[in-house]
Every structure is written in C-alpha cells, then in structure tokens.
Amino acid sequence: MSLPTFQQALAAGTCVLFDGSTPSALYDRGVFINRSFDEANLQSPDLVRGIHAEFLAAGAQVLTTNTWGANRLKLAAYGLEGKLADINRAGVALARAAAAQQGSAAWVAGCLGPLGVRIEPWGPTSFDEARAVFREQAELLAQAGVDLFVLESFEDLNEIHQALLAVKETADLPVVAMMSTDEEGRALYGTEPEWFIRKLDEWGADLVGTNGGNGPAPLLRLLERFRTATAKPIVLQPNPGLPRMVDGRLLYMASPEYLGEFARKALAAGARAVGGCSGTTPAHIRAMRGAFRQAQAFVQAAPTGAPTSQEQPQPEVPFAFRSRFSTKLAQGEFTHTVELVPPKGMEYDKLLAKTRQCRALGVDAINVPDGPRAMARMSALATALIIEQHVGLETILHYACRDRNLLGMQSDLLGAAGLGLRNLLAVTGDPPKLGPYPQATAVFDVDAIGLVNMLKRLNTGLDLGGAGIGAPTRFSIGVGANPVAPDLERERHRFRLKVEAGAQWAITQPVFDADSLFRFLDFAQSLGGGGIPILAGIWPLKSLRNAEFMANEVPGVVLPKSLLARMARRTTAEDQVKEGLDIAREIIEAIRPRIQGLQLSAPFGQVELVAPLLPRREA
C-alpha cells in the first residue's frame, strides 16, 4: 500500500493518528529510567521494533522514532555521545522495519526533544550552539529517511525556535511542533498558548499543537484557543492523566476508552491530528483509532460514479411519489413528525398506544431512532414495520452505519424496501463508548455520506457492485444536520456532500437557539436549487434535570445558559414542564417561517408533552 507524502495528506485535509509513547512502553518492559531509552535502539532492537509494530497494529498512521533524547547533550549524560549517529539511524531503521514487517504503510517521523539545558537568555547555551546540536541530530534523521520531523515536549519557546530553524535548514520536510504547558495552558515563563501557537505558525511549522499536560481535558480546552490563533492544522497528544506510583512503578490511570472519547471530541472540535504522550499504550491508540472510524468520512467506500458492470441505471421514482411524507414535502406542506424510541424488549403494546395517540393528533410520521446513544433496543427496522402494519402511520426509519458492514447494510436496505418502508434517515451513529456496552465493536464501513450514496444507487436499480437488482427501490432519503456543531465548517462541508450524494431532506438536532439555526439555513439554502426541505428538531424540556442532561450529556446539543436559568427559576415539577413548553413554543414561533416541518421528541415517550405543540385538528 502506497501513501501520499505527509505534506500531501495535510493539504488534502486528512486527519492523522500518531502513535503513543515508545519510552513508556520500554519502561513497562523493564528498561528503567536510569538508562537511556534511546540506547535501546542498539541494545534491544527487537523490543523497540516490536513496540512500533504494536502501535501500527493498533491503528497508528505515524510511527515516531525512539530518538527523543538522542541529541549530543543528552546522550553525553550517559556517556553515549559517541553512539549519536548509530542511535539515530537505528531509530529510523527500526520504525521502517516494523512497518514493512506488518505489511502496512505508515509515515516515519524523526523525533527531536529538548536539549536538557537552559539556553539564552536564561542559560549559558547560546542560540547558535543550540541550533547546531539540533541540526546535527536532524541531519542524521533526514539521511536515514524520515518522512517528517516531530518536535515534542518543548517548554521554552526560544528553544523550539532553534529546533525549527535547524530542521528547516536540514531538509525540506514537514515539521510538527508541540509545546508542553501547565494546567493553565501556559508554556515556560508564562508564555500564553495563543502566542506560542502563533509563533510556531510564523516560524514555518506545518502542524502545531501541544503534548503531555495533565491529561486530555486541558488539551481540549486549549484547542479552541489555538484555533483563534492559527489556521495551521492542530495536533493534540495528551498523556492519560497524571501518573501514580504503584509498587514502585509510575502508572497512568486513564482508561483507553477515556482517550478514545478524547479523540472523538478533539476531531469533532477541529483537531487534525491526535496521538499520545507519556503513558499512552497501544490499547489507548486502538481506542483512539475507533474514534477516527466514526469521525472520518468514508465516502469512497460506497461506490459512486459509473457502474462497474454492464448494467445501466434505471430512472428513479419521482420524489413526490415515494411516500406520503415525501409527497407533502414535495408539495411544500408543513409536516409534523414525532420521535418514539423502540422498546427495550420485545413487547411493543405501549409503543403502539403512543403511536395511535400521535395519529389522533394529526402527526404525519413517526421517527424511529436506531440505537440512540448506542443503547441496545429492538431493531429500528422491525419497530418501524410493526408501527406501519398495526397503526397505518408512516415511519421515518433512522439507519445507523455503526453496526453493519457494507454487505449487511445492503441486505437490510433491500429488506426494508421489500417490506414497504420508504422514508429513511441516514445517520453515522453514536460510538459504542457512549452506551452501556463500551466493549462492543463499531464497524463504520461508511458514514452517513456513504450511506446516502448507497441509497441513491439502490434507487437507480443497482447494487454496490453495479449489478441490477430488478425494480429500483424508492427510498425518500433524509440526513441529519447540526446547526451548532463544534466545528461548523466541517458540518457544513459534510452537509454539502450529503446533498450532492442525493439527500432530499434533513432533520436537525434539537434546536434551542434560533439564530444558530438561521445561520445554518442561510448556508443550506445557498446550495444548488435553493437547498432541500429541512425539519427542525424540537425537544420540550420536561424538568431542570432533563435540561442539564441535554446540555451536558447529549452529543450535538447546545443548550444556552439562559434557558437553563429559566428552568432553574421554576421550583415545582408542574412549573418546569410549563416552562419547557413555553420555551419550545417560542422557538417554534421564531423558526417556523424558515423551515418545512418539525420533528418533536417526546421526552421519555410521553406524547402528552408534545401534544400542546401540534396544531389543533378540526373536529
């Protein structure tokens, strides 16, 4: 497998997963801190190569050489300055060998760390002397064939400046520059994060950020500050929290799942690369790779373009004739849908009773979520079929990419079409970590964009391989949208891709801020043809506790503090319900002229909570 250059990957917007800490892995395997970890390249090459292989197998795309302390000054403390060249060259060769042995492609990053001495104006080492030491090591790494340089764990901005100058003088290769900070995000001597990120950008680093610290949470807080100071791609490489001494060994206590969740949040908030610092093991990197499988767009996994076989696409069923729901949208009618989650077990009488309530209230369709928050419930497909067969009310089947591979998806979709289900909302799906089964494995062969491509293809009578399936499916294809996504540019980019892939309508996350929705609608309606119909999600808050849960625990939802304060001022349960309905009514009144429908979520399945938000039916 061939890779583009690292610079090409950055230019293409690729998100990258770095490896974890080789020195920490060496320590865990008996190489103690009174020895040079870098010397292990010569003394224990199989051990070092094996650690690289473990990180690669866990999903790392960049293998960092075991040379962080392999500069002349640090090696001299162990009497190893005479082995400077051998240690650095072996560091590159071992990373390359691990990649070749695994049969995988990975970039090899030449790692340089601080010199271990103070430089001017705070110490006796001059800028020129520091730069010469860095240049000596950088030349050895470049000659050995690294793909990029990583400057890691620098605290002094002056020192990393000299390292940057040295590697830039040595080779025309990308440079990753990372500072280490205190709990407040400041580097040595109180240097503010906005300042040092701006300077790293100005001095020519290609990827800028921070590593180490006191765990993932502080780095996430720094990310937004970094983004105000630079347009360069940002990298975050935390350690798994503060270490503890256990039986004489330093152990990092944060779980792999915790770092996996960090990676998901970092990518969603705009980071372009993540990895691990001291204490980060292959298990941590494997969990972080799982976040990549959710966050990255696997659009190419769903075939697009011309069919690969001789079969020709058939004309699609016109949108207005695919379902009663799509007919209303095509005719410009305002629609109302209600979300009801599938039952936890196999008894569905209560669900049907709620559905009948919705039909009596004039609801146009029932939204059936697919494993929301990674909870195991009755199949959404089966639930939708039961509702349509027993109540006669159309459903909108949410279909998540999390749990099925491409073949399983196609089988499900053909089955849904054969059973008469027409309205389908393509969603990527919450990762298993969010639910009660974090050990479950996510698939994510494609994301929502790829799924729309697949549905579009089936609607032309072709399967994934380009073979005919007989009569084309007639899915009415919807997608999700989040007007308050942490990385709004990324959300807009993905929404554009969804529309270009064939999405015909969209449902937003619950809206609590009308202005944010309007800004997103301005963008969505600027797309070709004036955009697609958009239904706004509405969640009537039932209580202050419910509001706090929505604000803090539900991905993709932003609830303004002013609304939390309004709920907090109501002291009784009855008043809190009333306040929640008042908030929902105000939002609906403000946004109704700009949207084509509402998706009302019934908290805890209580349809009576959304009934006051539906238009009264004439007797």
Side-chain angles (χ1 to χ4, degrees), residues 193-212:
E194 291 86 353
W195 177 254
F196 71 67
I197 284 293
R198 194 173 294 119
K199 299 308 289 184
L200 295 178
D201 181 337
E202 177 185 321
W203 293 333
D206 298 277
L207 195 63
V208 297
T210 186
N211 71 293

Side-chain angles (χ1 to χ4, degrees), residues 503-524:
Q504 297 162 310
W505 45 274
I507 295 177
T508 75
Q509 290 277 20
V511 174
F512 293 102
D513 177 12
D515 289 338
S516 295
L517 175 65
F518 293 156
R519 287 190 290 271
F520 187 84
L521 291 175
D522 290 340
F523 159 76

Side-chain angles (χ1 to χ4, degrees), residues 51-174:
I51 292 168
H52 286 315
E54 288 182 28
F55 280 122
L56 190 62
Q61 297 163 290
V62 179
L63 296 180
T64 308
T65 59
N66 182 42
T67 56
W68 180 79
N71 62 69
R72 180 170 296 279
L73 297 182
K74 279 195 171 178
L75 290 176
Y78 298 95
L80 297 172
E81 62 271 30
K83 297 182 178 180
L84 170 71
D86 293 339
I87 288 174
N88 280 282
R89 288 170 183 155
V92 179
L94 291 171
R96 285 278 181 222
Q101 185 177 3
Q102 291 282 313
S104 300
W107 293 290
V108 172
C111 183
L112 295 87
L115 300 179
V117 297
R118 290 282 184 248
I119 69 172
E120 64 171 296
W122 317 111
T125 306
S126 71
F127 290 155
D128 288 343
E129 290 169 334
R131 187 161 68 253
V133 175
F134 285 124
R135 188 187 304 112
E136 179 181 38
Q137 185 184 4
E139 288 174 348
L140 291 167
L141 294 170
Q143 291 166 7
V146 297
D147 300 303
L148 65 149
F149 290 104
V150 169
L151 310 180
E152 181 180 316
S153 300
F154 283 80
E155 297 178 331
D156 185 350
L157 189 58
N158 289 325
E159 185 177 14
I160 200 171
H161 186 196
Q162 299 311 311
L164 261 169
L165 290 172
V167 297
K168 287 290 185 181
E169 292 168 358
T170 298
D172 185 19
L173 291 174

Side-chain angles (χ1 to χ4, degrees), residues 106 170 185 219 231 316 347 378 431 435 447 461 485 493 515 540:
T170 298
L219 270 61
E316 295 183 56
E347 297 176 359
M378 179 183 285
D447 69 349
H493 174 68
D515 289 338

